[in-house]
Amino acid sequence: MTDSDNGKLDTSMNLRVFTFLGCLLICIGSFAQTDSLSTKTSYKKRVLDATELDFLMSYYTQEGENAAVTGGIGNEELTDVTPTIVVTIPLSDDEVLSIDAGISAYTSASSSNVNPFDGDQEADPYVASSGASKSDILSTLQLAYSHSSNDRNTIWSINTAVATEYDYFSIGFGGSFTRLFNQKNTEFSANINIYLDTWKAIYPSELRDQPSFVPFEDEARNSYSLGLGLSQILSKKLQGSLSVDVIYQEGLLSTPFQRVQFSDIPDLIIQNFTYADDVERLPDSRFKIAGGGRLHYYLNEKIIFRSFYRYYADDWNIQSHTASIEIPYKITDSFTVYPSYRFYNQRAADYFAPFNQHLSTQEFYTSDYDLSKFNANQFGLGISYTDIFTKIHVFSFGLKKVDISVQYYERDSGLNAMIVSGSVSFVLE
């Protein structure tokens, strides 16, 4: 879960996806032929010994009273269930293919009020409408291929991803490069990703037939990211890492169904609902940069300290600080518990103001509290079980690991949330 945490196919799109996948398979085949020749001359340990299968599930719930769909006030109650399956397949000694497929099924009180009058009760920002917009399903599929050099000091990978929802479609692709040196005590990594998103803009019901309302002309959004990392073993007990991430976005960065009310225009209130004067309008570009570091300290065979800090800034004038600590404690050879704490502080974007406090003369405006000033705390507790010898079997798969965690999140703006997540990992024997 993130802090401003927690959007979302035409024929040409499909053609691009299948073309890319075809190239991917050709690359996989060519590398497999090359590596089969090298393995005849010398033995080397496989990067991945056997196919692994991971089942993941999370349940997220939140509540609050600053819904952006209704202009910064109203019910923010939301639940989301996210089942995911990840299959990791060794293609050869050096190659691994990963397939990640999942869905995110949510029900949202705030999104139900895109049309607050399609329910069976009076329109009210604090009451969820029973209309069709109250729920949706996001489906995702990601493929990743990685190749390791013979000495295991160089790793590169390519990936592609597709996500689709009722009003949203995204296709992404990218790659990464990792180099280990200094007897594997130092690691440098770089990754680049591109996401091409398209909205099917849905506007608040009261604005759709309003002559003065101006819809968005461009419903596309592109995101480009570059990440660099450097990890170093500092001593037998201490490891540190530094990372920098740069992201540039362009296109429709506003959410079309999030309302804004102006203080210099008289309110129109029907039942208990204040009509929108406009929708959220934000700049069509955004530059983000974040830098951070980690320190992991091995205290003894029972306890490890894991600390993290990150600074973030963008050209919307948001700045934030994130600091966290996790302390895994090994109870037995199989069981580990890991309490955690995370603190987040954020400065508001230049374009944010609460409900009914913007002026109609402004160029950009939003009442989305994800872009407001706030502090947040997150407390977590997890437990993991490792079946060292894979004694437990399901068909041909041996149990590798079970992990369960609970995280509680709260903002000083009133939003609070809880996420319960779990995973079960198997290995083919």
Side-chain angles (χ1 to χ4, degrees):
M1 176 172 58
T2 61
D3 298 295
S4 31
D5 311 85
N6 320 240
K8 306 194 177 231
L9 267 170
D10 57 27
T11 303
S12 62
M13 288 290 189
N14 280 327
L15 182 58
R16 282 194 286 172
V17 175
F18 291 127
T19 301
F20 183 84
L21 294 180
C23 294
L24 177 65
L25 293 175
I26 292 172
C27 291
I28 291 172
S30 64
F31 276 110
Q33 292 174 5
T34 301
D35 288 339
S36 64
L37 296 176
S38 63
T39 53
K40 292 179 181 179
T41 59
S42 63
Y43 170 80
K44 56 185 174 183
K45 182 175 174 60
R46 296 169 66 91
V47 174
L48 184 67
D49 290 328
T51 297
E52 295 186 357
L53 183 62
D54 297 315
F55 295 96
L56 302 90
M57 174 73 77
S58 68
Y59 173 78
Y60 172 85
T61 181
Q62 72 171 42
E63 57 183 24
E65 296 185 350
N66 297 119
V69 175
T70 45
I73 62 170
N75 193 344
E76 289 185 272
E77 184 177 342
L78 180 148
T79 60
D80 182 81
V81 179
T82 310
T84 304
I85 298 177
V86 181
V87 183
T88 310
I89 307 168
L91 301 176
S92 71
D93 289 352
D94 307 320
E95 301 163 299
V96 175
L97 177 67
S98 176
I99 305 169
D100 183 330
I103 62 171
S104 175
Y106 72 86
T107 300
S108 168
S110 63
S111 67
S112 74
N113 280 319
V114 171
N115 184 355
F117 302 99
D118 62 354
D120 53 4
Q121 54 193 345
E122 284 195 349
D124 190 310
Y126 293 95
V127 177
S129 172
S130 57
S133 59
K134 67 179 180 179
S135 61
D136 203 353
I137 294 178
L138 172 67
S139 303
T140 61
L141 175 65
Q142 179 171 323
L143 303 178
Y145 165 80
S146 67
H147 180 273
S148 298
S149 62
N150 289 332
D151 60 7
R152 302 298 184 248
N153 286 331
T154 302
I155 307 165
W156 63 264
S157 70
I158 54 175
N159 65 80
T160 184
V162 177
T164 182
E165 197 173 5
Y166 174 74
D167 61 340
Y168 176 82
F169 175 80
S170 174
I171 180 170
F173 47 90
S176 67
F177 172 83
T178 302
R179 176 66 180 174
L180 288 81
F181 48 96
N182 188 22
Q183 297 182 329
K184 300 187 186 296
N185 289 321
T186 306
E187 178 183 312
F188 169 78
S189 63
N191 66 79
I192 186 169
N193 289 283
I194 299 173
Y195 292 94
L196 308 176
D197 307 339
T198 303
W199 290 88
K200 177 185 176 182
I202 298 174
Y203 300 103
S205 57
E206 68 269 28
L207 295 178
R208 296 171 190 172
D209 299 321
Q210 193 177 107
S212 61
F213 175 67
V214 179
F216 293 107
E217 294 182 1
D218 184 3
E219 297 185 354
R221 176 181 61 197
N222 301 334
S223 302
Y224 314 91
S225 68
L226 171 67
L228 301 174
L230 182 64
S231 177
Q232 177 67 48
I233 296 177
L234 302 170
S235 70
K236 291 183 178 180
K237 292 189 174 183
L238 186 63
Q239 179 181 5
S241 65
L242 297 172
S243 63
V244 175
D245 294 285
V246 179
I247 300 172
Y248 178 73
Q249 295 179 294
E250 61 179 2
L252 181 54
L253 305 185
S254 308
T255 303
F257 50 77
Q258 293 188 170
R259 292 174 172 87
V260 169
Q261 290 85 3
F262 298 131
S263 61
D264 57 343
I265 293 179
D267 291 340
L268 174 59
I269 302 175
I270 305 297
Q271 298 177 14
N272 298 316
F273 195 88
T274 304
Y275 270 30
D277 293 315
D278 199 0
V279 296
E280 169 186 88
R281 297 191 186 269
L282 293 167
D284 59 5
S285 67
R286 188 178 186 184
F287 179 80
K288 311 176 184 180
I289 186 168
R294 297 179 184 271
L295 276 177
H296 294 179
Y297 181 73
Y298 176 87
L299 181 64
N300 53 45
E301 63 179 11
K302 293 287 188 180
I303 300 175
I304 300 174
F305 291 93
R306 297 173 177 167
S307 61
F308 170 75
Y309 170 78
R310 183 187 67 178
Y311 171 76
Y312 166 91
D314 64 30
D315 59 358
W316 292 4
N317 208 26
I318 290 181
Q319 294 183 22
S320 69
H321 302 269
T322 305
S324 67
I325 186 168
E326 183 181 86
I327 309 175
Y329 176 77
K330 195 172 185 179
I331 303 173
T332 68
D333 288 342
S334 296
F335 286 96
T336 300
V337 295
Y338 48 98
S340 63
Y341 169 72
R342 184 187 193 199
F343 173 77
Y344 179 83
N345 164 268
Q346 176 175 295
R347 186 172 74 181
D350 287 340
Y351 319 114
F352 172 81
F355 175 78
N356 220 359
Q357 292 189 28
H358 283 291
L359 297 174
S360 61
T361 55
Q362 293 176 266
E363 182 180 8
F364 303 117
Y365 32 80
T366 179
S367 293
D368 185 347
Y369 272 72
D370 285 348
L371 301 178
S372 71
K373 176 183 177 180
F374 65 88
N375 295 323
N377 295 279
Q378 182 173 313
F379 307 87
L381 181 64
I383 184 169
S384 65
Y385 167 77
T386 302
D387 191 341
I388 302 173
F389 301 107
T390 59
K391 297 177 182 178
I392 302 174
H393 285 76
V394 178
F395 301 110
S396 299
F397 288 89
L399 179 64
K400 183 179 179 181
K401 188 176 181 179
V402 179
D403 191 282
I404 300 173
S405 70
V406 179
Q407 305 281 334
Y408 175 74
Y409 171 88
E410 60 179 6
R411 291 183 188 174
D412 57 8
S413 62
L415 178 73
N416 60 78
M418 180 173 289
I419 182 168
V420 181
S421 58
S423 65
V424 183
S425 301
F426 295 90
V427 59
L428 181 63
E429 293 187 338

